[in-house]
Amino acid sequence: MSFKISVKDYGVLSFEEPITPYNISRTLGFKDIVSAKFNNRLLDIRTPIEEDGEMSFVYLQDSEAAEVYRHTMAHIMAQAVIRIYGKENVRLGIGPAIENGFYYDFEIVNGKITEEDLQLIEKEMNKIVQENLHIERIEMIKEKAIELMKKENQVYKLELIENIEDDVVTFFKQGEFTDLCRGPHLPSTGLVKHFKLLSVSGAYWRGDERNPMLQRIYGTAFLCKEDLENYLNSIQEAKKRDHRKLGPALDLFVIDTEFAPGMAFFTANGTTVLNELMRFSRELHTESGYKELMTPLVMSETLWRISGHWDHYKENMYFTSKEEQSYAIKPMNCPGHIIVYKSKPVSYRDLPLRYFEFGRVHRYERSGVLHGIFRVRGFIQDDAHIFCTPEQVKQEVMGVINLTKRIYSQFGFDYSVELSTMPEDHMGDEIIWERATRALKSALESANLSYTVNEGEGAFYGPKIDFHIKDSLGRMWQCTTIQLDFLMPERFNIVYTTPSGEQQQPVMIHRAIYGSLERFFGILIEHFAGAFPTWLSPVQVAVVPIADRHIEYAKGIHNKLQAEKIRIEIDARRETLGYKLRDLQIRKIPYVLIVGDKEIQNRTVSIRTRHGTNLGSMKLEDFENAIRKEIEQRSLKTLLGEEA
RNA sequence: GCCAGCGUAGCUCAAUCGGCAGAGCGGCGCAUUCGUAAUGCGUAGGUUGGGGGUUCGAGUCCCUUCGCUGGCUCCA
């Protein structure tokens, strides 16, 4: 047996016997490695290697090391939990490193972990760090490991081992604590000292709600104190952008939890923003050849039986009845659009037929999932259904992708794209699903979008492409969705006439770009931290007369700009100038026009931005032209000299 | 829905061990007419989420219900 390893910054070495990265590093005089990258996989330094490959060493300061030390931190936490609650009372689930931190799932027999306990656990973790325990990697024959786990009553670990294919499994041991684990881990528990436990929550074993619920502790860890503090501060800062906080504070919406949990009441300000969003969307949809519809909110239950919602979506629907007739409040707009489609004969010449609607839908959502206006029970979709021939599918999907890119670029945020395939609970043949999935893939590739695949996450009627946007706390939310559907046209038996006079079934593409206006609005609030671009700002300009004798002039400005459809208000409150400026700035009004004696004399306005910058005086006409242009262009930036 | 925590004035938060429900901001009133982030004084505002219980006495302890937060599952 002989194999070669190419070590970065050294050269190629030949070995006859299995060797660990640690031993290689020692031989070559590299010190203090915490992990090794071997053929692009992060390895524990104690893992014996016996094959050709390329290796580079990972040191504590390297970015790749975070995964390793956070994983070790999860073990330290588990060790602390066991010390506190007693070995016989703790059953371990899984404990991986995640983005920015780590977690571990526990079952505490006849007990529970509360937020208060986190301090206690942190204290014990600090002890373990102080003890600087040596971490050992142990290989064990699977049968023996199963026996051991049975003896220790570690039912979850047992399940994990039974699902491992190899004959040998690995454990990591630090002091009295041993855990089934693939690794990699640090050489000892004393290397990373700065950590914080963040929260405790429930998590189903293996993510399945039929399984028991374990308790999950989330934490984070960093090499130096500053990084930890910066991270904790960034969480605090992000919380200030939270739309649930900013929305009511900026008077955009309220949620009345007593009378309508999971429903948003948009105030005048919020409605203004939504109207602007809809206006923008309508313009683009018209340009892209969509026809706007309005369809009923309440339709017969029978309709929903035909559509398949009754069989696959009933749990999420609201029902009502009158005169012994049962009705459903629509959870989707598709059946309504199909009724319009069916209302007259369709020729191949009419296709693709793009029906668009700002459709208000209601879906029952379990109480625990509601979240501000990101996840509600009633929302408005910028929904459309494209009816087309099978040949037109790819082009139509690409059209939607382009429209999506166009809309996103207006706001300037990043997104990720996912393709979701056939779920367990689905309608129709697998062959149809495969064809549809291929069409979506092909469109994605032609559009040059990189994407990840979510197996089994599609809608019940077809596979879909989703665009996700990050919220202020790093959670991803689905906005745009493009779903292919070969099934609903069949169930409703809709057809078009082909050139040869035959009746053929169209393909249906369900798509929404904002997704839900509520969610998109919420994302915007967080993205701009409430300081919307001027075209979206509920109030675009405030005029502040310095003293009563300036009110008349201020009113003139107000009336003039208002006549130009600029959203302007006058602040003639009997308060000091400083007080009003502070108040208007907190409300994030893009421009404040201050008028006093000087301005009246020169027919100017003094301009102050919501960032507190004094832009000096300007002729009213010049200001008017600039802001009008800024609004017309729906500019992300101000045209008056600084970032909007 | 599930696990844990939380729910006091419009908002942010006090109220010791179970012992008279309070403050700041905001609102309202009066005075102040002011040049780029908070003028001063006064005043109203509460069934402590709802219901039940323990107790001489409950914001505080127990039960229940509704809601919220963090996650899990689910989803636009």
Side-chain angles (χ1 to χ4, degrees), chain A residues 351-364:
Chain A
L351 303 185
L353 193 52
R354 307 187 186 99
Y355 281 150
F356 174 65
E357 176 175 12
F358 284 112
R360 188 183 283 266
V361 296
H362 288 79
R363 301 178 183 176
Y364 167 74

Side-chain angles (χ1 to χ4, degrees), chain A residues 40-95:
Chain A
N40 262 331
R41 259 182 44 231
L42 218 47
L43 272 196
D44 190 82
I45 55 172
R46 290 142 292 212
T47 310
I49 297 170
E50 47 189 319
E51 58 180 315
D52 293 343
E54 288 178 20
M55 179 175 295
S56 60
F57 297 129
V58 176
Y59 300 89
L60 199 54
Q61 282 71 24
D62 296 341
S63 56
E64 284 105 335
E67 191 186 325
V68 180
Y69 66 71
R70 285 173 180 156
H71 191 175
T72 297
M73 201 49 81
H75 276 211
I76 293 173
M77 178 168 75
Q79 185 171 17
V81 166
I82 287 175
R83 282 187 184 178
I84 290 167
Y85 297 89
K87 193 171 184 180
E88 64 289 351
N89 296 320
V90 180
R91 288 178 188 164
L92 301 170
I94 57 165

Side-chain angles (χ1 to χ4, degrees), chain A residues 210-440:
Chain A
R210 289 165 299 195
N211 285 338
M213 180 160 272
L214 310 182
Q215 284 194 283
R216 173 173 299 178
I217 303 178
Y218 282 94
T220 189
F222 289 88
L223 289 183
C224 65
K225 203 177 164 197
E226 289 73 38
D227 288 350
L228 176 63
E229 279 171 2
N230 285 340
Y231 178 70
L232 296 176
N233 281 336
S234 74
I235 296 176
Q236 287 309 113
E237 279 305 307
K239 276 186 183 162
K240 290 185 192 159
R241 287 177 166 243
D242 194 321
H243 76 279
R244 290 168 299 179
K245 222 55 205 147
L246 276 177
L250 294 173
D251 195 19
L252 299 168
F253 65 84
V254 289
I255 292 176
D256 186 307
T257 58
E258 187 186 355
F259 295 113
M263 309 271 182
F265 292 77
F266 291 101
T267 56
N269 281 343
T271 305
T272 300
V273 178
L274 288 176
N275 278 332
E276 287 295 343
L277 287 175
M278 289 194 279
R279 191 145 66 116
F280 173 54
S281 169
R282 276 197 176 104
E283 283 175 18
L284 290 173
H285 279 89
T286 305
E287 280 173 24
S288 306
Y290 286 82
K291 308 284 179 207
E292 187 169 346
L293 311 178
M294 295 178 88
T295 67
L297 254 67
V298 179
M299 290 176 270
S300 160
E301 186 187 297
T302 314
L303 178 74
W304 304 99
R305 287 183 186 269
I306 297 170
S307 69
H309 285 83
W310 183 264
D311 293 329
H312 300 275
Y313 208 72
K314 197 165 72 180
E315 293 308 307
N316 290 291
M317 293 170 66
Y318 290 100
F319 295 96
T320 180
S321 64
K322 276 286 174 202
E323 293 184 344
E324 284 161 38
Q325 280 289 318
S326 296
Y327 299 89
I329 322 260
K330 69 173 173 184
M332 296 187 193
N333 304 299
C334 24
H337 290 191
I338 286 177
I339 288 175
V340 175
Y341 182 99
K342 276 180 84 116
S343 65
K344 59 181 186 191
V346 176
S347 148
Y348 72 95
R349 295 178 212 271
D350 299 320
L351 303 185
L353 193 52
R354 307 187 186 99
Y355 281 150
F356 174 65
E357 176 175 12
F358 284 112
R360 188 183 283 266
V361 296
H362 288 79
R363 301 178 183 176
Y364 167 74
E365 299 281 358
R366 292 154 132 195
S367 58
V369 307
L370 302 175
H371 185 94
I373 56 172
F374 279 171
R375 187 79 184 268
V376 284
R377 287 176 175 156
F379 55 101
I380 301 168
Q381 291 183 307
D382 60 333
D383 203 5
H385 296 90
I386 301 173
F387 300 88
C388 64
T389 68
E391 293 73 35
Q392 290 167 331
V393 166
K394 185 178 165 187
Q395 192 190 332
E396 287 305 306
V397 171
M398 285 186 68
V400 177
I401 289 173
N402 286 332
L403 185 56
T404 303
K405 284 180 168 174
R406 166 73 185 88
I407 289 181
Y408 281 16
S409 71
Q410 194 75 39
F411 304 97
F413 34 58
D414 289 332
Y415 51 88
S416 65
V417 183
E418 295 179 9
L419 174 70
S420 299
T421 60
M422 190 178 77
E424 256 178 62
D425 179 21
H426 64 271
M427 298 191 306
D429 285 347
E430 293 191 16
I431 300 155
I432 294 175
W433 276 83
E434 204 180 309
R435 205 171 86 207
T437 308
R438 257 206 320 274
L440 289 181

